[in-house]
């Protein structure tokens, strides 16, 4: 379990299983690769069979999440290029001091003066847990798509794509991904903050401040309504409540 203070401090996060630290990129750093690339990469790096239907899980019963992930990363197919590149760019953001290589059964991280570090079958699930917490993926999800070339991975991708399309249509969502830019813009005006200061936040810091701002805004509005004599005002959560639930 990653400590909330470590996350909100913006410090690098120890990835003990691989004897390497994971850098928390700022919103400005993510801007170099675009939000779409970021979320596309995060989705592939966070691949799990758990989101599939029972029959699909059964077909992959003897295949691990990491094996499917590596088959996608190794696949030589144009349809895969965007997703693979996105995943590599996210890895470059969070391991900025290392040269990254895709090997047959692992991803290798090299740095002069150090022994190689590896993302492999043994530590992939731990890596994903860090990624989910660091980028608040369980709360906010992502908006990526990928199209693997081999048959088994293709079936998985089709299921993922159809599910996202249905969910997006139900919510009236568009293809454009602009979560970070929107949050930065709202906080800059709503809290009279320097936009450049907000761009130096990490993803965890930005989501933390935006969620707290929403709670404070609702709290202040609630108080104003009561003072104005409004009747049947719905109670709202205390803006100082704990917003960091376990594993979120």
């Amino acid at each position: 379990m990653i400590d909330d203070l470590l996350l909100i401090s913006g410090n690098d996060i120890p990835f003990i299983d691989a004897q390497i630290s994971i850098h928390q990129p700022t919103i400005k750093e993510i801007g170099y690769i675009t939000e779409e690339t970021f979320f596309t990469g995060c989705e592939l790096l966070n691949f799990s069979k758990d989101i599939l239907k029972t029959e699909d899980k059964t077909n992959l019963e003897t295949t691990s999440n990491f094996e499917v992930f590596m088959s996608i990363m190794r696949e030589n197919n144009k349809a895969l290029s965007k997703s693979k590149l996105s995943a590599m760019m996210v890895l470059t953001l969070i391991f900025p001091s290392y040269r990254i290589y895709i090997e047959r059964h692992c991803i290798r991280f090299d740095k002069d003066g150090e022994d190689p570090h590896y993302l492999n079958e043994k530590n992939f699930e731990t890596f994903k847990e860090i990624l989910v917490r660091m980028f608040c993926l369980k709360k906010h999800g992502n908006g990526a798509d990928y199209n693997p070339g081999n048959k088994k991975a293709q079936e998985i991708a089709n299921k993922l794509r159809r599910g996202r399309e249905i969910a997006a249509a139900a919510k009236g969502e568009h293809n454009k991904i602009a979560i970070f830019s929107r949050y930065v813009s709202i906080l800059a005006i709503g809290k009279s903050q320097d936009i450049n200061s907000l761009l130096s936040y990490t993803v965890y810091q930005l989501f933390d401040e935006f969620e707290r701002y929403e709670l404070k805004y609702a709290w202040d509005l609630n108080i104003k309504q009561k003072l104005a004599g409004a009747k049947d005002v719905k109670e709202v959560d205390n803006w100082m409540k704990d917003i960091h639930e376990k594993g979120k």
Side-chain angles (χ1 to χ4, degrees):
M1 188 64 185
I2 308 172
D3 184 72
D4 289 331
L5 181 59
L6 176 59
L7 288 164
I8 206 167
S9 70
N11 287 322
D12 289 352
I13 298 171
F15 180 19
I16 298 173
D17 291 0
Q19 295 295 300
I20 195 173
S21 291
I22 299 177
H23 172 64
Q24 294 194 67
T26 65
I27 303 304
K28 189 171 185 177
E29 288 171 336
I30 293 171
Y32 282 115
I33 68 171
T34 76
E35 289 191 48
E36 181 180 359
T37 297
F38 173 78
F39 282 115
T40 300
C42 283
E43 181 173 41
L44 186 50
L45 290 169
N46 188 38
F47 176 80
S48 173
K49 296 183 295 183
D50 291 342
I51 63 175
L52 303 177
K53 292 183 177 180
T54 303
E55 60 267 28
D56 298 301
K57 289 183 186 179
T58 302
N59 293 335
L60 293 170
E61 198 168 0
T62 60
T63 307
S64 70
N65 291 330
F66 185 71
E67 287 173 323
V68 178
F69 166 71
M70 287 302 297
S71 73
I72 295 171
M73 293 300 290
R74 292 193 309 267
E75 187 69 31
N76 186 20
N77 188 295
K78 287 185 178 180
L80 278 168
S81 59
K82 179 179 178 181
S83 297
K84 290 165 55 178
L85 178 60
S86 296
M88 287 298 292
M89 292 181 81
V90 172
L91 287 173
T92 300
L93 278 181
I94 63 179
F95 298 108
S97 301
Y98 292 86
R99 299 182 297 277
I100 304 170
Y101 302 96
I102 304 296
E103 299 191 341
R104 182 168 179 78
H105 298 296
C106 68
I107 296 180
R108 190 179 86 243
F109 303 92
D110 285 353
K111 183 179 181 181
D112 293 341
E114 291 185 10
D115 291 333
H117 305 272
Y118 301 95
L119 179 63
N120 54 32
E121 180 75 53
K122 293 181 179 179
N123 59 32
F124 183 59
E125 296 302 322
T126 301
F127 169 75
K128 284 167 46 180
E129 289 174 8
I130 296 173
L131 203 71
V132 167
R133 285 279 282 148
M134 183 170 71
F135 293 141
C136 307
L137 298 179
K138 190 175 289 188
K139 275 189 176 183
H140 301 276
N142 50 48
D145 202 332
Y146 62 88
N147 186 24
N150 66 69
K151 185 177 180 181
K152 185 177 289 186
Q154 178 71 62
E155 292 172 357
I156 296 170
N158 289 339
K159 294 290 184 180
L160 293 173
R161 183 182 301 103
R162 284 198 292 272
R164 283 197 303 275
E165 287 174 350
I166 293 171
K171 296 178 182 179
E173 295 176 352
H174 302 290
N175 291 329
K176 181 182 178 183
I177 301 174
I179 298 171
F180 301 145
S181 56
R182 187 181 305 122
Y183 280 18
V184 166
S185 177
I186 291 171
L187 288 173
I189 301 302
K191 297 188 67 180
S192 299
Q193 285 186 250
D194 177 17
I195 198 167
N196 291 302
S197 173
L198 290 163
L199 289 171
S200 69
Y201 283 22
T202 65
V203 173
Y204 191 89
Q205 290 170 335
L206 182 67
F207 281 143
D208 175 271
E209 185 153 330
F210 188 81
E211 186 171 350
R212 188 71 70 186
Y213 172 73
E214 284 186 309
L215 288 169
K216 183 66 163 60
Y217 181 86
W219 177 271
D220 290 344
L221 182 60
N222 183 266
I223 297 296
K224 289 178 181 178
Q225 290 173 330
K226 290 179 178 179
L227 291 175
K231 304 296 183 182
D232 301 321
V233 178
K234 185 178 179 180
E235 292 298 323
V236 297
D237 291 339
N238 189 313
W239 70 274
M240 291 185 287
K241 73 172 189 174
D242 183 11
I243 59 175
H244 299 299
E245 298 177 19
K246 185 177 180 180
K248 300 294 185 180

